[in-house]
């Protein structure tokens, strides 16, 4: 199959879109498009603030150009949409970015062009929600004058081992012929290979259950952690013992945030409810995981009271704000749930994080981060994110930040059990 005439446009240059644009830009004429002018300026200057792509990698994509001008998109014939698909305040899917991108593409596509969606959605969303918008905006007829594909993203922010090229890619298309074109296109850059699904809906469903499965499994471990805490049993020791069986799954308790695991299940449950089924297990897992911030603070307060530390007006240091370790991604971080709950007790909270942008923390969560916590200041310290800087800091330096009588709560098993007062 001749792919040499393909000119690709990547719509959205975040954690998903940029690495993909770089890989395609090594082989094909590629336009990286984003509505954020600051992002385009940054990338044209040769650096990526998400740290997913190095300066050298950016420079290696010789056929890649960046733009926020929609007119420049008209030269492409394959459009790949990698915009966010968040949930709203009512935990319902928010397709606004996807619909806006579809409407924009409808104004630039030509006959025979292909639009491939990578954003996580519920089964049916591509053909039922996005394509009609493209049809209306373009005046073209779907599967006669333009075509579609779906290839769900599998980016793991901050993971330098599992990159876009060495993660197997699921592909699909709106016709058998287009499915083959989409598959061959991705196969030309994905070293790990591809899996061609039988339909767009199958590919959409595959994506949304990947993270739903993880969410439910983590919810189980979180519930077990709560039970073991009541039984005065160390959860990690139990998991390590159980993990000696060959088929025991190595999940750990913790906060479930980020752009995928804490969001995708709500897309699936929304679709399930729309067809008359109320999902029990998935929603139960979501409720449990969403409640972990409150649980952490309740346990901390109990321990502070046991240590005869006055809770009202206490100083607490939260170490880490990003949703995962060694990554600047703040999207849907559940550390904010801990901070909000601490504030309910009239506790003074300081937050420090060497990875995240102070400006983004202020803009997204109205938080003013501190760079250097004062020694001997804190009544309690919560190790919320396992950044390597915190591990390198070591137990003695971390404990030195607390008062003589303080509580050290390690949510990430970063320190030895004997060196902390509490573990999740």
């Amino acid at each position: 199959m001749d792919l040499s005439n393909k000119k690709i446009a990547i719509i959205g240059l975040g954690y998903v879109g940029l690495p993909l644009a770089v890989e395609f830009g090594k082989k094909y004429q590629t336009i990286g498009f984003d509505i954020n002018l600051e992002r385009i300026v940054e990338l044209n200057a040769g650096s990526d603030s998400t740290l997913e792509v190095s300066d050298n990698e950016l420079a290696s994509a010789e056929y890649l150009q960046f733009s926020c001008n929609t007119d420049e998109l008209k030269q492409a014939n394959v459009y790949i949409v990698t915009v966010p698909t968040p949930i709203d305040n009512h935990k319902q899917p928010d397709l606004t970015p996807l619909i806006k991108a579809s409407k924009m593409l409808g104004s630039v596509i030509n006959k025979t062009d292909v639009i491939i969606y990578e954003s996580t959605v519920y089964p049916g969303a591509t053909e039922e929600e996005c394509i009609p918008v493209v049809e209306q905006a373009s005046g073209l007829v779907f599967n006669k004058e333009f075509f579609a594909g779906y290839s769900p993203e599998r980016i793991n922010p901050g993971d330098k081992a599992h990159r876009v090229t060495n993660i197997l890619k699921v592909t699909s298309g709106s016709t058998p012929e287009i499915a083959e074109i989409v598959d061959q296109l991705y196969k030309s850059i994905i070293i790990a290979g591809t899996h061609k699904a039988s339909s767009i809906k199958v590919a959409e469903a595959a994506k949304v259950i990947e993270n739903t499965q993880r969410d439910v499994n983590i919810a189980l471990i979180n519930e077990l952690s709560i039970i073991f805490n009541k039984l005065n049993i160390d959860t990690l020791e139990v998991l390590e013992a159980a993990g000696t069986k060959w088929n025991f799954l190595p999940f750990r308790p913790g906060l479930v945030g980020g752009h995928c695991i804490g969001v995708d299940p709500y897309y699936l449950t929304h679709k399930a409810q729309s067809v008359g089924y109320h999902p029990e297990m998935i929603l139960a897992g979501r409720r449990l995981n969403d409640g972990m911030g409150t649980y952490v603070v309740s346990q901390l307060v109990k321990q502070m009271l046991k240590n005869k530390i006055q809770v009202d007006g206490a100083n607490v240091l939260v170490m880490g704000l990003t949703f995962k370790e060694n990554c600047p991604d703040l999207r849907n971080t559940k550390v904010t749930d801990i901070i909000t709950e601490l504030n309910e007790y009239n506790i003074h909270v300081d937050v420090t994080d060497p990875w995240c942008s102070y400006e983004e923390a202020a803009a997204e969560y109205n938080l003013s981060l501190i760079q250097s916590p004062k020694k001997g200041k804190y009544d309690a310290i919560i190790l919320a994110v396992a950044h390597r800087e915190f591990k390198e800091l070591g137990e003695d330096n971390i404990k030195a930040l607390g008062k003589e009588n303080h509580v050290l709560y390690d949510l990430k098993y970063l320190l030895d059990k004997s060196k902390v007062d509490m573990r999740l």
Side-chain angles (χ1 to χ4, degrees):
M1 181 176 294
D2 182 18
L3 298 174
S4 60
N5 68 334
K6 298 303 180 190
K7 296 180 180 178
I8 298 165
I10 309 293
I11 313 302
L13 297 174
Y15 287 85
V16 175
L18 181 62
L20 194 66
V22 167
E23 293 306 322
F24 275 120
K26 294 175 182 177
K27 298 189 68 169
Y28 306 94
Q29 293 294 331
T30 303
I31 303 167
F33 177 88
D34 201 289
I35 59 174
N36 185 343
L37 176 59
E38 290 183 7
R39 179 67 165 156
I40 297 301
V41 170
E42 166 191 286
L43 294 172
N44 276 326
S47 65
D48 167 32
S49 60
T50 71
L51 306 181
E52 287 302 300
V53 175
S54 70
D55 294 357
N56 288 338
E57 287 172 319
L58 270 178
S60 70
E62 59 180 313
Y63 305 115
L64 173 61
Q65 64 184 77
F66 298 108
S67 176
C68 57
N69 183 352
T70 55
D71 286 339
E72 293 188 29
L73 293 174
K74 294 177 181 179
Q75 60 187 285
N77 50 34
V78 175
Y79 300 88
I80 302 178
V81 181
T82 60
V83 299
T85 44
I87 53 175
D88 62 22
N89 292 333
H90 304 288
K91 301 190 186 304
Q92 294 297 306
D94 180 5
L95 297 179
T96 303
L98 208 53
I99 298 303
K100 286 183 176 179
S102 298
K103 186 175 181 179
M104 179 197 69
L105 289 178
S107 70
V108 300
I109 64 167
N110 297 300
K111 288 184 179 181
T112 73
D113 286 355
V114 180
I115 302 175
I116 304 169
Y117 291 89
E118 288 212 2
S119 306
T120 302
V121 291
Y122 50 78
T126 298
E127 293 157 299
E128 295 165 13
E129 304 290 344
C130 300
I131 294 304
V133 173
V134 178
E135 282 189 305
Q136 184 176 16
S138 67
L140 301 178
V141 179
F142 179 50
N143 275 344
K144 288 186 178 180
E145 297 175 299
F146 79 97
F147 304 88
Y150 184 80
S151 181
E153 58 90 1
R154 279 179 167 169
I155 294 295
N156 189 23
D159 188 341
K160 300 307 178 186
H162 300 93
R163 309 295 300 277
V164 63
T165 57
N166 60 15
I167 301 174
L168 195 141
K169 202 87 164 69
V170 174
T171 67
S172 64
S174 55
T175 70
E177 294 77 19
I178 295 300
E180 182 63 19
I181 290 171
V182 171
D183 190 67
Q184 291 298 323
L185 184 65
Y186 279 105
K187 194 171 285 184
S188 70
I189 66 164
I190 304 296
I191 298 169
T194 60
H195 173 93
K196 185 168 66 173
S198 62
S199 69
I200 286 176
K201 284 185 179 180
V202 167
E204 290 169 326
K207 170 57 182 176
V208 83
I209 72 164
E210 288 176 15
N211 290 313
T212 299
Q213 183 188 67
R214 285 184 57 78
D215 192 44
V216 171
N217 275 289
I218 296 170
L220 170 62
I221 301 301
N222 276 335
E223 187 163 63
L224 292 174
S225 176
I226 294 170
I227 294 170
F228 295 146
N229 179 267
K230 290 182 176 294
L231 297 175
N232 198 29
I233 301 173
D234 186 83
T235 301
L236 182 60
E237 291 182 3
V238 174
L239 293 175
E240 287 175 340
T244 59
K245 190 182 181 193
W246 69 92
N247 59 355
F248 186 82
L249 301 177
F251 289 96
R252 293 288 184 265
L255 305 174
V256 182
H259 68 299
C260 285
I261 301 179
V263 173
D264 294 359
Y266 288 120
Y267 275 75
L268 184 56
T269 56
H270 167 81
K271 187 63 175 181
Q273 289 168 333
S274 75
V275 294
Y277 180 76
H278 182 76
E280 299 286 351
M281 181 179 290
I282 298 171
L283 286 175
R286 279 282 75 235
R287 285 192 298 272
L288 203 147
N289 285 340
D290 278 346
M292 286 305 289
T294 300
Y295 171 75
V296 164
V297 174
S298 71
Q299 294 303 107
L300 176 70
V301 168
K302 287 178 184 177
Q303 189 61 47
M304 290 173 70
L305 292 172
K306 287 179 183 177
N307 286 20
K308 294 183 170 49
I309 298 172
Q310 182 172 323
V311 174
D312 185 14
N315 291 306
V316 172
L317 176 65
V318 175
M319 300 183 70
L321 180 62
T322 60
F323 93 88
K324 65 179 293 187
E325 66 275 6
N326 307 323
C327 172
D329 196 346
L330 284 175
R331 289 174 296 173
N332 195 35
T333 174
K334 291 302 177 181
V335 179
T336 55
D337 291 353
I338 292 176
I339 297 167
T340 299
E341 191 68 14
L342 288 169
N343 288 331
E344 290 291 316
Y345 284 92
N346 195 34
I347 289 172
H348 303 301
V349 183
D350 282 346
V351 183
T352 185
D353 191 307
W355 278 84
C356 76
S357 161
Y358 285 31
E359 293 77 17
E360 188 178 353
E364 292 294 323
Y365 301 108
N366 196 29
L367 289 173
S368 298
L369 274 59
I370 64 170
Q371 186 170 3
S372 302
K374 292 181 180 179
K375 291 184 177 181
K377 175 181 177 180
Y378 299 100
D379 297 288
I381 301 167
I382 301 176
L383 277 167
V385 185
H387 291 314
R388 61 171 170 262
E389 287 84 352
F390 296 155
K391 190 169 185 178
E392 291 168 358
L393 192 59
E395 57 210 31
D396 291 338
N397 288 321
I398 291 173
K399 290 177 74 69
L401 300 172
K403 296 177 181 177
E404 185 175 350
N405 181 20
H406 72 274
V407 176
L408 177 54
Y409 196 167
D410 186 359
L411 304 187
K412 303 300 293 185
Y413 306 113
L414 202 60
L415 304 180
D416 186 86
K417 176 186 174 183
S418 64
K419 304 299 182 181
V420 302
D421 300 289
M422 307 176 67
R423 300 206 295 190
L424 192 57

